């Protein structure tokens, strides 16, 4: 017997909230019906980022680069001051999934070519296939890849390099030595050309459009340098402020330049036209930005000032995500505990597609891995059903989300005003046997993960009484065959005859043969017994025609086919009629002879 569905009293969603969450990617593969339902706490499909791991295996991280080809996470690191017995500085190569160190390149040439332990301050560009170009103090330009015993490098002539980034060609980098910007050969550190500005701090390259944007925080302006002439083509005024600068980055997709200033981010398009300004929380200051061309989003890391005596300072930083087309917030800000600027600026690296984001915290000596998650979005709603009592009902619902959502079915007995969880119904398909009392009930599925919950539209169940004329199978046989015939009776003895003619037979073809009349006045022999069969009638002879066994009889051949009862009396009546016939025949002969 199939059990009916159990109900667990309680408020809607109580069962789903207790379900364990599964950290796997969603995959439905089923046809998508019209979307429906509602978000239980956040809109369906809401995107969020959550911290899933922290790596403390790469010293004091100063910069990050996720290699586009090898997919390895390169970390430029300094030495942790609290670990005096170990020097963690150098270029670390990590597995981005778990932070395990694949290798460390700690040696790089000094100004005279002598190898020594070197810190890595900036990661400038990826090398083809694997590896990175990096800046190390004070004027070193190095290259190395996973597994190298030491880095190759050369020193730029002149003052200390204050900022560097990828060059206009694959074989060059750009390096700033204060207000002097130079194009430098990567292998030899030879200066190919340079330009001197009124001042400068950070810069970014838009190689696709042949432009370099150089930010002068002290004079609150930005210079647009033409790559072909390597001269200033335009000057863009920046908003007045306190004079703190964070970063200058170019969105490679749109060419927009993002500049971190004090506690805001100012965005200009590729021509220098102001697009808008982003504000942080409290005293948080923007210190790093990264872009993803797949999601068309910008990722900004904000660090707290680290002075809790200032109003708004809470010692925590933030990761914000913005749509690059309109600068609107795409994801709810993510709190980064203990992230402040007292011991260095953070760095950020974004996996293509935005599935994972890495943020370095030099103060804590760690790298936080954050993963993209999305609240459930219903892709298939259960459909209304009309069934007869005792029938099986199957309701199906589907939803997508990251991590993969769990499901809990709910039922309402008051037209959707209140809902109860259905105990044990935690699969996308919910099947049960319908009872007449289920008619009018509504059913829905609630999908949940750690971002939120979403519910399907409700399906209504209609249950009716089964039609009795359709019948079912009975004990007497199937719905199309007759019952079992009875056993034919034994034929009675033939009557005494004067002429000794053969006695007639009584009984059916299936029930058995009648007895033969005796000759010369002797008694006839007994008829044979009829055998049980599916045909009935007098003596079990004619075909039966009952439908559905003993419960539902239909007109047909033998009236007694299902039981075979009263066959023996009928056989006896046949013999009486036969004997009466002989008497009438003898009287008729006597008159004819008289």
């Amino acid at each position: 017997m199939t059990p009916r569905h159990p109900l667990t009293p309680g408020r809607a969603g109580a069962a789903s909230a207790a379900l364990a969450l599964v950290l796997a990617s969603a995959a439905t593969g089923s046809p998508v019906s019209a979307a429906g339902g509602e978000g239980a706490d956040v809109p369906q499909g809401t995107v969020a980022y959550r911290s899933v791991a922290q790596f403390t295996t790469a010293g004091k991280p100063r910069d990050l680069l996720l290699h586009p080809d090898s997919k390895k996470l390169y970390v430029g690191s300094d030495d942790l001051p609290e670990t005096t017995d170990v020097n963690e500085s150098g270029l670390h190569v990590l597995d981005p999934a778990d932070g395990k160190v694949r290798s460390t390149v700690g040696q790089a040439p000094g100004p005279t070519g002598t190898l020594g332990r070197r810190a890595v301050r900036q990661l400038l560009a990826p090398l083809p296939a694997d590896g990175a170009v990096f800046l190390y103090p004070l004027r070193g330009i190095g290259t190395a890849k996973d597994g190298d015993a030491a880095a190759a490098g050369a020193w730029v002539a002149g003052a200390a390099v204050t900022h560097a980034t990828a060059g206009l060609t694959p074989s060059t980098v750009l390096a700033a030595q204060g207000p002097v910007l130079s194009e430098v050969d990567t292998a030899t550190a030879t200066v190919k050309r340079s330009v001197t500005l009124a001042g400068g701090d950070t810069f970014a390259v838009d190689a696709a459009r042949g432009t370099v944007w150089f930010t002068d925080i002290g004079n609150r302006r930005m210079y647009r340098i033409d790559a072909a002439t390597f001269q200033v083509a335009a000057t863009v005024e920046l908003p007045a402020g306190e004079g703190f600068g964070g970063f200058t980055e170019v969105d490679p997709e749109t060419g927009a330049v993002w500049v971190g200033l004090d506690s805001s981010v100012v965005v200009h398009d590729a021509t220098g036209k102001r697009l808008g300004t982003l504000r942080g929380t409290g005293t948080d200051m923007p210190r790093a930005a990264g872009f993803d061309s797949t999601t068309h989003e910008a990722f900004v890391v904000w660090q707290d000032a680290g002075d809790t005596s200032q109003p708004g300072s809470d010692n925590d930083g933030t990761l914000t995500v913005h749509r690059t087309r309109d600068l609107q917030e795409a994801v709810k800000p993510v709190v980064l505990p203990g992230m402040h600027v007292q011991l260095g600026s953070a760095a950020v690296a974004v996996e293509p597609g935005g599935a994972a984001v890495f943020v370095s915290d030099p103060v804590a000596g760690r790298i936080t891995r954050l993963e993209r998650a999305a609240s459930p979005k219903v892709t298939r709603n259960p459909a209304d059903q009309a069934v007869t009592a005792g029938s099986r009902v199957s309701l199906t619902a589907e939803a997508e989300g990251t991590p993969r959502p769990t499901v809990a079915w709910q039922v309402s007995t008051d037209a959707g005003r209140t809902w109860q969880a259905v105990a044990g119904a935690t699969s996308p398909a919910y099947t049960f046997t319908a009872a007449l009392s289920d008619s009018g009930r509504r059913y829905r599925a609630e999908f949940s993960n750690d971002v939120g919950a979403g519910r399907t539209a409700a399906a209504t169940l209609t249950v009716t009484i089964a039609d009795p004329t359709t019948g079912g199978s009975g004990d007497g046989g199937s719905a199309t065959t007759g019952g079992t015939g009875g056993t034919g009776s034994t034929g009675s003895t033939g009557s005494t005859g004067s002429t000794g003619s053969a006695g007639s037979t009584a009984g059916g073809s299936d029930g058995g043969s009648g007895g033969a009349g005796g000759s010369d006045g002797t008694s006839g022999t007994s008829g044979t017994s009829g055998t049980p069969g599916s045909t009935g009638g007098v003596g079990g002879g004619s075909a039966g025609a009952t439908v559905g066994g003993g419960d539902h009889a239909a007109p047909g051949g033998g009236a007694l086919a299902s039981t075979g009862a009263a066959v023996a009396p009928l056989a006896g009546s046949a013999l009486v009629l036969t004997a009466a016939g002989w008497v009438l025949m003898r009287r008729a002969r006597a008159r004819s002879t008289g």
Side-chain angles (χ1 to χ4, degrees), residues 301-326:
V301 178
W302 307 71
Q303 290 179 270
D304 188 76
D307 184 357
T308 54
S309 64
Q310 295 184 13
S313 177
D314 58 6
N315 212 40
D316 294 335
T318 311
L319 172 70
T320 60
V321 185
H322 310 269
R323 297 193 299 264
T324 55
R325 67 177 181 272
D326 58 11

Side-chain angles (χ1 to χ4, degrees), residues 103-357:
S103 66
T104 298
V105 182
Q107 300 287 316
T112 62
T114 304
L115 290 175
R117 191 82 185 196
R118 314 291 179 186
V120 175
R121 297 294 174 84
Q122 280 186 264
L123 295 169
L124 310 182
L127 290 173
D130 191 25
V133 183
F134 57 91
L135 171 69
Y136 60 97
L138 294 171
R139 294 175 281 116
I141 304 297
T143 59
K145 64 180 184 300
D146 183 16
D148 286 348
W155 282 55
V156 182
V161 176
T162 53
H163 190 76
T165 188
L168 295 164
T169 66
S171 62
T172 63
V173 297
L174 294 180
Q177 295 165 293
V180 180
L181 177 65
S182 301
E183 184 178 32
V184 179
D185 181 79
T186 302
T188 64
T190 302
V191 175
K192 303 180 71 172
R193 51 182 178 167
S194 62
V195 58
T196 301
L197 307 168
D201 297 274
T202 63
F203 62 90
V205 176
D206 183 3
R209 296 162 186 82
T211 302
V212 179
W213 292 96
F214 201 110
T215 303
D216 181 356
I217 301 297
N219 293 308
R220 311 299 286 191
R221 66 186 59 171
M222 186 166 54
Y223 305 104
R224 182 164 62 88
I225 300 170
D226 180 72
T229 63
F230 217 63
Q231 296 297 314
V232 176
T235 301
V236 177
E237 296 299 323
L238 296 173
E242 299 177 4
F244 295 105
F247 59 83
T248 302
E249 296 288 351
V250 170
D251 177 5
E253 183 181 17
T254 65
V257 56
W258 294 51
V259 180
L261 293 173
D262 303 318
S263 58
S264 64
V265 177
V266 182
V267 184
H268 296 78
D269 68 10
T271 67
K273 178 183 177 181
R274 180 81 59 83
L275 295 177
T277 301
L278 307 177
R279 302 290 181 183
T281 302
T283 61
D284 288 355
M285 296 180 287
R287 283 297 181 265
F291 302 91
D292 179 56
S293 59
T294 301
T295 60
H296 313 291
E297 292 173 343
F299 299 77
V300 181
V301 178
W302 307 71
Q303 290 179 270
D304 188 76
D307 184 357
T308 54
S309 64
Q310 295 184 13
S313 177
D314 58 6
N315 212 40
D316 294 335
T318 311
L319 172 70
T320 60
V321 185
H322 310 269
R323 297 193 299 264
T324 55
R325 67 177 181 272
D326 58 11
L327 308 185
Q328 295 301 305
E329 189 177 86
V331 174
K332 183 179 179 181
V334 182
V335 175
L336 302 172
M339 179 77 74
H340 60 79
V341 298
Q342 292 298 313
L343 293 177
S345 295
V348 62
V350 183
E351 184 178 285
V357 178

Side-chain angles (χ1 to χ4, degrees), residues 134 484 492:
F134 57 91
T484 303
S492 59

